Structures are given as C-alpha cells and as structure tokens.
C-alpha cells in the first residue's frame, strides 16, 4: 500500500488553549454513551490532551472504569523498578466476563487441537500503548479508548463485545510515561508555543523513552529480562491473542504509519499468511483515516525481522503484530512540515487506529482464528523428533538464566539424563538442559536459536542476529536424540551453594560461575583479604583454573569460625561451591606464591548525561546494581570536571563521541595516578584521538559505487552499517580479561565499525577475531574484510593506571550474559593487566 496523498487535516483544532477541548473531538457521534460511566475528566481533573496524563492518574481512571462497568476487570500484574503497577484490563461483554476462564481455556485448546471448532469463539486482541514513555499519544488515547469500550451503547457494540476479548494494556512503560509527563507538563505555558526551539520539545537526558534503567523495552519481548516484559509476556502466553497492537510515535514531520512494513525485511520464519492478513487489516486503517482526513503511509519503512519487538514477537507465536507510528508533537503543540501538530490530534489518530483494529478483528474474526489454529497445526506437523541441548559444565547459574527465559515463553525443557559430549563440548547433568523439538512452541525455539548469514535485504531497523546460545555464552548441540532427555523441568531450581570444610589455611572458589563477581564484591565489602590466581594449579586433588579466588584464613578481620560462617552464608545465598583447603602446598603454584595477586575493593563510577548513550549506560548500571549488588556512582557530564575523582578506582565511559577538555585533562591525571579507565564503542575513538591509548584502525574502503541510482543511494550507505551481528573471537585464557571462561573461543555482539589492528606481540591480543568471524547476522563484504583478525579489546598503561577499551557492547540489552564477565574482569582485575 503506497502513500496516500490526502491533505493533512488540522483545521478542526486550533492550537490548544484557543479552543474548547472535550471528548466529542475524539469519540464517534453515531452512538450513545452510558452516563453512569465516568468520563476521564471526572476522574483525572482535565480533558484528554489538555495535559499529559501521569501514570498515577491513568491508574486511577482505569480503576474507576473497572468499578463502574461490568464489561471491565482490572488486574495488577506486578511492579516496575520504581514501584508503579503494571495494569491489564480485560474488556468484553458482561456475559463473557462471567465465563472468562472457560473462554480462555477454549481459546488455548483451539491452538492445541486442530479438530476444535473455533468459528464461534471470541477473537482475542491485545492492545498495548506507549512502550516508549516519550511517545505518549498512545497511553493518552487509552483514556478515550477505555471510556468508549465501557460507555458506548447499542446493538453494534454489544455484538462486538460478545465476539471479542480485549486485553488492554494502557501503559507498557509506566516509569518512562511518568518521566515524560512531568517534563511536558512542567514546561507547558498557558499560551501554547509551537516553536520547535521551545524547551518543552527538548527533553533533558536520558528522556522518557526508556524505563528506570534506561532500557528500550520494545527490544525485550524475546529476551524478557525486565519486570515490565515479564508481566506482559506472561499475559501473552496465558491468552495467545490473535492480534497485538503496539502504539508508538515518530518524528514530528511524519504523518501516521501502520503495518505491513517493508516486505523484503520480514523474517523468513514468519508465515506469508501473517503478512497477507496484516495487509488486509491495513485496509480498515486506511478507511478509518480517510474518513478522518489524516494522511498515512504503509510498507515504506520499519520491518518485521527482530522478534524482540512488540509488533514482531506475535508473528512467531501464531498471532498478528501491528505497529502504529504517529508523528509526535513531543509536547502540547509543535510546528511541523504539515502545519501545527497538536497533542490532541495525535491522540485522536491513535484512538482511530485502536477502533480500526477492533473493526478488522470483528469482520475478520473467523479467518484470523483459523489462521492461528493452522499456525500451530502446521507447527505440530513439522516438528522434529530431535532435541537441542545447551549448558555450561562450569556455570550452572548462567545456564539457568537461559532456562528461565525459555520457561517464561512456555517452552518445555528437560533435565539431561546423563553426561555426554558432542563436537568437543561436554554436557553435564545438572548444568545442562534439553529442549525437545516435538513441542508446540518449536517455531519460537527455532527463532531464539536461529543462525542466519544470508538475507534478502541488507538494511535492518534493528539487530540482524540474537542467537541465544551465543548471547548467553553456553555450549550448544542440535539434532540430539530425545533419549538424552530426562524428566521435564516443571520448576527451575538453583544449584545448592555450600562450603566444604572449615579451614585454617583458606578457602578457594573458581571464577567460572556467573554469580562470582557478586560473591567477590560481598567478601571485599566485608574488609577481607582476597587474592586471585594468575596460573592454573591443583589443590587437594581438585583442579583450579586461571582466576581462582583465594580467601586466606589468617590475618583477617574475622576469626576462623566467623569467617567460615560468613563465607558459608555467601555460598548459600549465591548458589556457589566454596572449598576449604587442608594445605597450601599445590601441584603448580602454592597458595603463598606471588602468582596469587591481591584484589582490592573497587569503587566504580560511570559518566552519564548529555553526550553519553543512555542505553549503554543503563545496561551497565543495571548489571552492577541488579545482578552484582555493586554500588555505582553516576557522574553527570555537567559537573564531572569539577569534582575530586581520586576516591574512584574505576571510571567507565559508555558509548560517547566526545568529552569536554576540562574533564579530559582531569581523567588523564586520574589515570596516571593509578585509576582504571574503561571505554566502550565510540569512546574508543575519543580515547585514541586524545592519546589516552595508542591504537591503529583498519578503515573500510569503498572506492567506487556503480549501478546505484540517486533514489537508492541511502540503501547503499545503509548496507555498510553493522546494525547488530555476532562474531567469533579466539581468547588467551591466561589473560585476566578472560578469567572465568572455559572455552578458547567467545561469541561477541557488535554494532560498530571500529576495527582495531592487532598488536605484533600476540600476548597483547588476548581477544582477537578469527579469520572467519561471522557467526550470525549481516555484515557487508567490505566490513567483514576489515574485521578479520582485528581485536575488540585493548589495555595499555598510562602512568600508574590502565586504559581499557572495548569496541563491542559486552552488556547488550541485559541478555548478553555470555560477555558480562569481561566487564567484571576489567573492574576487579584491571590493574593486573
């Protein structure tokens, strides 16, 4: 469907404040409304669109509707990091409400059994709003939509509600919505000023797009790492909705977009019928917007490739995901290429898309129900009597992190019956899981572990790879016999932590387990002496690898029994095995060797604020705060140059292009005095240019471009972007940056074009891309040529300190567990490098 050139209609509403605004601006006038149902204004105190709705008021209105209407039930599914409720309204006819569980069970049964007649069943529609908090027209339109669904009267609405169950999620991102509403409302003037230069339209860092830890939650539908995602994914799998809508905003000069997206950028695992139905649904949007006089477009941008987005995730689950993108007023009214774009206008468009979706659902009900039933029927018919096995024989905790994700998606997993080896990898019972591929959700499993290196298109709206075994850093084998499967895992259980033997010598634990940085930090916070092994050794007939932690029993703040009690609690709390040793005499280095180096408590800071990518900073903050209980001082760029940095042992610079000269000089002095500076992604270029570290780079060379028209020149340049792919590197496990890794290869996520040349001395290249590094995802031939054999990590001395750089994001979107330890090694062992 190509762009329809209808005049952008704004004349119906002058700039807010110059004309009376009420519900009649939004609502259809061909139906009557139940006067016993409270209007939004009667609860929140203002008309919809007059102010930006705050989350607390949104919650109160939804509660009021549920209390007043027998069409609505209210569910509190949990809390955000900031303690805000995660709401879900179930909206349907009063009769359906009385039988809602039976309706749900019958709906699910239809996906399990192709013989079930679904033609008389209600269609299930999940409508979600404003997963990006600073795209608020969605959540504000939810006020109007909920009122309409509760109050509209007549045979048409009654028939519709009898045949539809709506799962209504008025705010997918409560914390971000609240943050942006505060900004827009506190900068609103009585005389609305649409000048784009006004402060109202320029949020301060980090903005309201993200959640508390600055994550883009519209990338977390598949990894499911955040509390908001866990709640909505549980609701999704509980119901398996037929349609899911995801209401967003885009640039102010844009109009309105609805899917389908660009056809060539659809994931090949998505059935063609999904796209055909999406296109048919689009005709209902077009009809509604034509009637309204609002311009729109479809099939020209956005895509359906990465299954971690709200509009794409349903597509691999037998549902139809639909993305809506409204040009944003970014406040109350803003000048645009199409005239003054008012906030109420954006709300009305989102409301219109909500109703057009429901109209399509009503008229296409049987067709869409049958599609979902056929999706699972075909999935069952194509399932394989084989299995996938994943695990890490030395890291049960990390293996469980992946198992948790699978369980959240209703994917069946089994214990490993007995140990076995495949392709040189050992899979150990208790440290590995089996995924039978003869199960209902095998298509979703394939999507999670998908490996793809060839593509129809070379442009991607988001990442081109997310292969979960690489992301979680676990060993993997496919096409494994189902005979390897033991009992089904109904409830995940962590490994039982323990301490073996009270010792007068000291205590040892390997650095392999995911939780060990949290354990080490706990021990150091207690003021205890700790050492780390720089070499391999054997003690009491146990083998220990590089990076083994040694806690001496003598010369500690705690006496022998108190030390044992403390370490025992730490071991139990963190599911870790700690061994008390009977001797300091080892096969290899002894416990008193100078190859056991002292580890100090770290005081970590990170630069944040304008110029820093909030996503990257948030990932690091979340990792340290939520996963490892490490305090992190966030130093804003606005004042970092005016404070004393000497109290910090480590400072992290997330993705950034530049830092002011005063802070630059201060950081350089701090490093020379012994600090460890860690830079990520574009900060690598800055650190190199400012002589913090000496690096040489490969540059991609494209001398000539032939047979590319002016129309397609952006496609040619876009093909050189590495949007997000996975690459293989070889590792020197004796180097402190690789402590805790058992394999000689590692999978790295990359979305930059910084190719650092390897050092001539091999020991200075502890992580180096292989000669054939692409594991999964898209990279142009030109970039791949330059990437081969380069290094993603460098460390150099600067005075008494160290400068450490990573070209790759080791903490990507909170689910790249496999490389989290690289950052922790840089923090704890940076001075040993």
């Amino acid at each position: 469907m190509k762009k329809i050139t209808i005049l952008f209609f704004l004349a119906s509403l002058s700039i807010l404040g110059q004309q009376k605004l009420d519900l009649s601006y939004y609502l259809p006038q061909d139906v009557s409304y139940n006067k016993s149902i409270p209007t939004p204004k009667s609860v929140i105190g203002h008309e919809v669109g007059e102010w930006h709705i705050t989350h607390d008021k949104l919650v109160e209105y939804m509660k009021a509707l549920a209390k007043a209407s027998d069409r609505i039930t209210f569910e509190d599914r949990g809390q955000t990091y900031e303690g805000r409720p995660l709401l879900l309204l179930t909206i349907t006819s009063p009769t359906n409400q009385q039988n809602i569980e039976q309706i749900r069970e019958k709906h699910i049964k239809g996906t399990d059994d192709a013989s079930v007649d679904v033609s008389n069943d209600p269609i299930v529609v999940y409508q979600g709003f404003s997963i990006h908090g600073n795209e608020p027209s969605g959540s504000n339109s939810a006020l109007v939509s909920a009122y309409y669904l509760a109050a509209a009267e007549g045979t048409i609405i009654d028939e519709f509600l009898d045949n539809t169950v709506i799962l209504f999620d008025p705010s997918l991102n409560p914390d971000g919505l609240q943050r942006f509403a505060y900004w827009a409302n506190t900068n609103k003037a009585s005389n609305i000023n649409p000048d784009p230069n006004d402060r109202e339209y320029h949020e301060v860092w980090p903005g309201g797009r993200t959640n508390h830890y600055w994550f883009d939650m519209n990338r977390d539908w598949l990894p499911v790492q955040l509390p908001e995602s866990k709640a909505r994914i549980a609701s999704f799998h509980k119901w398996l909705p037929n349609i899911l809508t995801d209401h967003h905003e885009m640039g102010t000069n844009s109009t309105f977009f609805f899917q389908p997206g660009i056809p060539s950028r659809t994931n090949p695992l998505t059935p063609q019928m999904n796209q055909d139905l999406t296109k048919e649904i689009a005709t209902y949007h077009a009809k509604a917007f034509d009637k309204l006089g609002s311009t729109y477009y479809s099939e020209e941008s956005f895509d359906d490739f990465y299954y971690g987005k709200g509009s794409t995730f349903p597509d691999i689950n037998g549902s139809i995901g639909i993305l809506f993108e409204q040009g944003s007023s970014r406040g109350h009214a803003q000048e645009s290429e199409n005239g003054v774009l008012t906030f109420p206008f954006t709300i009305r468009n989102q409301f219109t898309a909500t109703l057009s979706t429901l109209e399509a659902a009503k008229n296409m009900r049987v067709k869409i129900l049958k599609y979902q039933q056929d999706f699972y029927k075909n999935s069952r018919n194509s399932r394989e009597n084989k299995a996938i096995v994943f695990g890490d024989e030395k890291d049960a905790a990390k293996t469980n992190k992946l198992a948790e994700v699978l369980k959240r998606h209703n994917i069946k997993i089994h214990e490993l019956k007995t140990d076995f080896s495949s392709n040189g990898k050992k899979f150990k019972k208790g440290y590995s899981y089996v995924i039978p591929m003869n199960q209902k959700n095998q298509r979703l499993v394939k999507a999670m572990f998908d490996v793809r290196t060839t593509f129809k298109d070379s442009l991607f709206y988001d990442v081109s790879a997310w292969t979960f075994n690489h992301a979680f850093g676990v060993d993997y084998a496919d096409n494994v016999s189902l005979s390897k499967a033991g009992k089904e895992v109904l409830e995940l259980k962590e490994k039982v932590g323990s301490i073996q033997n009270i010792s007068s010598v000291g205590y040892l634990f390997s650095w392999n387990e995911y939780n060990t940085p949290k354990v080490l930090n706990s021990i150091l916070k207690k003021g205890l002496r700790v050492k780390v092994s720089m070499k391999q050794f054997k003690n009491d007939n146990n083998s220990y690898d590089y990076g083994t932690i040694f806690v001496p029993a003598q010369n500690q703040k705690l006496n022998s029994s108190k030390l044992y009690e403390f370490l025992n609690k730490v071991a139990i709390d963190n599911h870790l095995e700690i061994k008390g040793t009977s001797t300091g005499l080892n096969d290899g280095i002894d416990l008193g060797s100078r190859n056991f180096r002292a580890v100090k408590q770290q005081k970590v800071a990170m630069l944040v604020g304008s110029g820093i990518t909030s996503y990257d900073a948030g990932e690091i903050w979340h990792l340290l705060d939520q996963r490892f209980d490490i305090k992190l001082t966030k130093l804003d760029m606005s004042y970092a140059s005016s404070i004393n940095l000497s109290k910090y042992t480590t400072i992290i610079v997330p993705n950034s292009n530049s830092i002011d000269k005063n802070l630059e000089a201060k950081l350089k002095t701090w490093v020379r005095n012994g600090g460890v500076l860690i830079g990520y992604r574009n900060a690598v270029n800055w650190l190199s240019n400012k002589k913090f570290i000496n690096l040489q780079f490969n540059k991609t060379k494209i001398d000539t471009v032939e047979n590319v028209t002016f129309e397609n020149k952006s496609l040619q340049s876009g093909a050189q972007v590495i949007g997000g792919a996975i690459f293989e590197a070889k590792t020197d496990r004796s180097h402190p940056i690789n402590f805790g890794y058992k394999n000689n290869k590692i999978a790295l996520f990359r979305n930059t074009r910084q190719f650092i040349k390897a050092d001539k001395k091999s020991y200075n290249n502890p992580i180096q891309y292989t000669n054939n590094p692409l594991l999964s995802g898209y990279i142009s031939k030109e970039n791949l040529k330059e990437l081969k054999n380069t290094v993603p990590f460098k460390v150099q001395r600067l005075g008494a300190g160290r400068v450490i750089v990573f070209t790759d994001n080791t903490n990507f979107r909170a689910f790249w567990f496999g490389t989290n330890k690289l950052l922790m090694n840089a923090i704890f062992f940076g001075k040993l490098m």
Side-chain angles (χ1 to χ4, degrees):
M1 185 182 301
K2 298 305 177 185
K3 191 172 183 179
I4 298 179
T5 55
I6 303 172
L7 179 64
F8 190 79
F9 182 68
L10 289 173
S12 63
L13 183 72
S14 58
I15 296 176
L16 190 64
Q18 297 176 9
Q19 179 174 320
K20 180 72 174 175
L21 177 68
D22 58 32
L23 276 176
S24 64
Y25 174 70
Y26 305 106
L27 292 173
Q29 298 303 303
D30 56 353
V31 296
S32 59
Y33 295 91
N34 186 341
K35 296 189 185 313
S36 69
I37 301 298
T39 65
K41 184 179 181 181
S42 70
V43 176
I44 67 176
H46 61 81
E47 295 288 358
V48 176
E50 185 180 0
W51 295 90
H52 282 249
I53 191 68
T54 56
H55 188 260
D56 56 327
K57 288 186 175 182
L58 182 66
V59 170
E60 288 308 307
Y61 184 63
M62 296 302 157
K63 286 182 177 179
L65 280 183
K67 184 177 180 180
S69 173
D70 56 3
R71 298 174 179 177
I72 298 177
T73 57
F74 179 97
E75 180 183 354
D76 185 343
R77 299 171 294 172
Q79 292 186 335
T80 69
Y81 284 118
E82 294 179 12
R84 294 188 174 87
L86 297 166
L87 308 185
L88 186 71
L89 305 185
T90 301
I91 306 175
T92 187
S93 69
T95 302
N96 285 345
Q97 288 287 8
Q98 294 172 7
N99 303 288
I100 197 68
E101 183 57 19
Q102 293 95 316
I103 290 171
R104 187 193 68 81
E105 290 175 356
K106 172 80 184 313
H107 180 76
I108 296 299
K109 188 175 181 181
T111 66
D112 293 329
D113 185 349
S115 68
V116 173
D117 182 8
V118 297
S119 61
N120 295 313
D121 293 351
I123 191 169
V124 182
V125 182
Y126 193 119
Q127 297 193 295
F129 301 90
S130 299
I131 199 166
H132 296 146
N134 63 355
E135 300 174 4
S137 58
S139 284
N140 282 265
S141 75
L143 295 163
V144 184
S145 299
Y147 173 76
Y148 172 82
L149 293 169
E153 295 179 315
T155 56
I156 294 177
I157 188 72
D158 290 342
E159 180 186 354
F160 161 72
L161 290 172
D162 280 337
N163 288 284
T164 311
V165 174
I166 302 164
L167 305 176
F168 195 82
D169 197 333
S171 174
L172 292 163
N173 181 1
D175 295 347
L177 182 74
Q178 186 78 11
R179 192 182 315 136
F180 182 74
Y182 169 81
W183 176 263
N185 290 338
T186 56
N187 285 284
K188 178 190 175 187
S190 296
N191 296 292
I192 300 300
N193 183 0
D195 184 348
N197 295 321
D198 190 84
R199 188 171 189 260
E200 180 178 354
Y201 313 112
H202 298 272
E203 291 177 87
V204 294
W205 193 97
R209 178 181 177 89
T210 52
N211 78 339
H212 176 78
Y213 283 101
W214 310 332
F215 282 96
D216 183 339
M217 291 196 302
N218 198 39
R219 305 297 184 267
D220 195 42
W221 291 75
L222 197 63
V224 205
Q225 294 301 307
L226 306 172
E228 300 91 339
S229 306
K230 293 173 186 177
R232 68 173 179 270
I233 291 302
S235 297
F236 182 94
H237 287 298
K238 179 180 177 180
W239 271 97
L240 291 181
N242 300 99
I243 299 173
L244 185 146
T245 61
D246 189 17
H247 293 250
H248 288 255
E249 291 183 358
M250 51 185 169
T252 302
N253 290 321
S254 302
T255 57
F256 193 93
F257 169 85
F258 48 79
Q259 285 183 312
I262 297 175
S264 62
R265 299 178 195 170
T266 300
N267 195 300
L269 295 177
T270 299
Q272 180 58 45
M273 181 57 72
N274 171 285
Q275 295 297 291
D276 294 343
L277 290 171
T278 303
K279 195 164 187 174
E280 185 175 349
I281 292 170
T283 63
Y284 289 85
H285 307 320
K287 181 180 178 181
F289 278 82
D290 288 346
K291 182 179 180 181
L292 192 65
S294 290
T295 53
Y296 54 85
Y297 68 100
S298 186
E299 293 189 299
E300 290 183 33
S301 58
F302 304 102
D303 66 26
D304 271 322
F305 191 81
Y306 172 48
Y307 287 122
K309 296 187 301 178
S311 58
T312 310
F313 173 77
D315 299 343
I316 198 62
N317 286 283
S319 306
I320 300 168
I322 300 177
L323 171 68
F324 296 123
E325 293 273 356
Q326 164 63 50
S328 180
S329 63
R330 283 289 186 264
H332 291 87
Q334 190 175 169
E335 295 168 359
S336 77
E337 291 177 356
N338 302 301
V340 175
L341 179 61
T342 67
F343 187 41
F345 180 85
T346 68
I347 293 170
R348 188 172 66 172
N349 276 353
Q350 297 278 21
F351 172 64
T352 299
T354 299
L355 293 194
S356 61
T357 301
L358 296 176
E359 178 74 9
K362 179 188 73 173
N363 294 336
M364 298 172 62
R365 180 180 60 85
V366 176
K367 184 186 295 187
I368 294 173
L369 286 168
K370 288 283 190 182
Y371 164 73
Q372 184 183 58
Q373 189 174 44
D374 288 344
F375 176 93
Y376 285 105
K377 175 185 175 182
N378 294 335
S379 182
R380 286 191 297 273
N381 290 341
S382 64
R383 59 191 178 185
E384 308 156 9
N385 287 316
K386 292 289 185 178
I388 288 171
V389 179
F390 68 91
D392 186 322
E393 61 172 316
K394 293 187 177 182
D395 191 351
K398 185 176 63 178
T399 302
N400 264 24
K401 297 297 183 184
L402 176 50
E404 287 173 3
V405 175
L406 298 172
K407 293 292 287 182
R408 288 177 194 134
H409 285 297
N410 283 1
I411 292 169
K412 293 181 179 180
I413 61 174
H414 289 245
E415 296 175 357
L416 184 64
K417 186 181 294 183
T418 57
D419 297 357
F420 81 101
S421 296
S422 177
N423 295 322
K425 304 298 182 186
K426 183 179 179 181
F427 296 93
K428 184 178 176 182
K429 184 178 180 180
Y431 289 74
S432 302
Y433 293 101
V434 180
I435 311 172
M437 293 304 288
N438 60 350
Q439 63 175 290
K440 177 178 181 177
N441 285 331
Q442 56 95 3
R443 285 187 173 184
L444 180 57
V445 174
K446 288 181 177 178
M448 289 175 165
F449 294 93
D450 189 41
V451 173
R452 196 169 299 276
T453 56
T454 57
F455 302 88
K456 279 186 179 181
D457 205 317
S458 56
L459 272 68
F460 300 85
Y461 185 74
D462 200 75
V463 298
S464 61
W466 53 88
T467 315
F468 271 25
N469 52 295
H470 293 319
F472 284 78
V474 294
D475 295 328
Y476 170 89
D478 58 9
N479 291 316
V480 174
S481 170
L482 285 172
S483 64
K484 301 293 185 186
K487 294 186 299 183
E488 183 179 353
V489 178
L490 301 178
E491 183 179 352
L492 281 171
K493 295 180 181 179
E494 299 278 5
K495 189 178 73 170
V496 177
S498 66
I499 187 166
Q500 296 181 7
N501 307 320
I502 187 167
S503 173
S504 61
V505 178
Y507 299 88
L508 295 165
F509 62 89
S510 297
W511 190 243
N512 299 99
E513 284 276 354
Y514 185 81
N515 293 329
T516 49
K518 182 179 179 181
V519 172
L520 177 58
N521 187 61
S522 298
I523 296 170
L524 291 169
K525 279 199 303 184
K526 197 71 173 178
L528 299 173
R529 291 193 305 116
V530 180
K531 293 191 173 185
V532 62
S533 167
M534 303 297 290
K535 292 181 179 291
Q536 298 169 316
F537 64 96
K538 288 184 179 180
N539 176 280
D540 284 342
N541 295 317
N542 296 306
S543 296
Y544 292 94
D545 208 347
Y546 305 106
T548 295
I549 300 299
F550 173 47
V551 184
Q554 303 302 316
N555 198 22
Q556 296 282 20
K557 290 176 61 176
L558 302 178
N559 63 32
S560 178
S561 61
K562 291 293 185 184
L563 178 63
Y564 175 82
E565 288 175 12
F566 170 73
L567 292 178
N568 187 49
K569 185 178 186 306
V570 168
I572 292 171
D573 290 347
N574 293 281
H575 316 286
L576 187 70
E577 184 177 295
I578 299 177
K579 294 178 180 177
T581 178
S582 64
T583 178
L585 185 64
N586 296 334
D587 180 359
I589 59 170
D590 296 324
L591 296 185
S593 168
R594 294 188 66 182
N595 281 300
F596 277 92
R597 306 285 292 277
V599 182
K600 303 296 184 183
Q601 184 176 2
Q602 300 299 300
K603 191 163 183 63
V604 186
M606 177 176 68
L607 297 183
V608 300
S610 182
I612 300 288
T613 301
S614 59
Y615 296 160
D616 296 50
E619 290 159 357
I620 295 168
W621 179 24
H622 177 268
L623 179 72
L624 270 61
D625 193 40
Q626 287 290 321
R627 302 252 171 94
F628 298 133
D629 284 346
I630 295 175
K631 289 182 180 178
L632 175 69
T633 300
K634 301 182 293 299
L635 303 175
D636 197 276
M637 299 276 273
S638 63
Y639 62 76
S641 62
S642 64
I643 65 172
N644 182 4
L645 300 178
S646 63
K647 65 193 297 185
Y648 306 108
T649 59
T650 305
I651 295 178
I652 303 170
V653 186
N655 187 46
S656 177
N657 289 311
S658 65
I659 293 173
D660 74 68
K661 289 185 177 180
N662 292 333
L663 182 54
E664 173 192 332
K666 201 157 196 172
L667 284 172
K668 196 167 283 187
T669 299
W670 172 81
V671 175
R672 287 190 173 117
N673 288 336
V676 175
L677 187 65
I678 303 172
Y680 273 98
R681 304 212 296 143
N682 287 328
V684 174
N685 288 332
W686 179 81
L687 290 167
S688 176
N689 292 336
K690 298 304 179 180
K691 310 301 182 186
F692 281 79
I693 189 169
N694 182 25
L695 303 173
Q696 281 80 45
F697 297 88
N698 287 349
K699 298 293 184 182
T700 303
K701 303 176 184 66
I702 302 177
D703 297 324
T704 60
V705 178
E706 298 180 345
N707 301 318
V708 176
T709 64
F710 179 82
E711 177 187 18
N712 292 323
K713 68 175 184 176
S714 63
L715 302 181
Q716 190 277 331
S717 59
Q720 297 304 319
V721 172
I722 304 175
I726 307 170
F727 300 91
E728 179 185 67
K730 57 186 179 180
T731 60
D732 172 2
R733 294 197 308 107
S734 71
H735 194 285
I737 197 62
N738 294 315
F739 283 178
Y741 288 95
K742 70 179 182 63
N743 295 333
N744 294 319
K745 299 276 182 70
I746 191 170
L748 299 169
F749 175 84
R750 162 177 280 263
N751 58 3
T752 70
R753 292 198 294 170
Q754 296 163 328
F755 310 130
I756 301 176
K757 292 183 179 181
D759 196 275
K760 292 180 179 179
K761 299 174 181 177
S762 61
Y763 53 77
N764 287 331
N765 305 315
I767 309 175
Q768 185 174 12
Y769 287 117
T770 60
N771 193 52
N772 186 26
L774 180 61
L775 291 173
S776 188
Y778 171 80
I779 184 173
S780 70
K781 293 178 181 178
E782 297 87 351
N783 284 327
L784 183 58
K785 178 182 176 182
E786 300 305 326
L787 175 68
K788 293 178 179 180
N789 302 310
T790 61
V791 294
F793 163 85
K794 272 285 188 180
V795 55
Q796 289 176 12
R797 290 176 178 265
L798 181 61
R802 303 290 188 278
V803 178
I804 295 172
V805 296
F806 293 99
T807 61
D808 305 333
N809 186 346
T810 62
N811 318 294
F812 186 62
R813 290 179 181 169
F815 79 100
W816 218 267
F817 284 84
T819 50
N820 286 163
K821 193 158 279 184
L822 294 177
L823 174 58
M824 305 318 297
N825 287 345
I827 290 172
F828 283 113
F829 311 135
K831 291 295 288 288
L832 305 180
M833 299 178 188

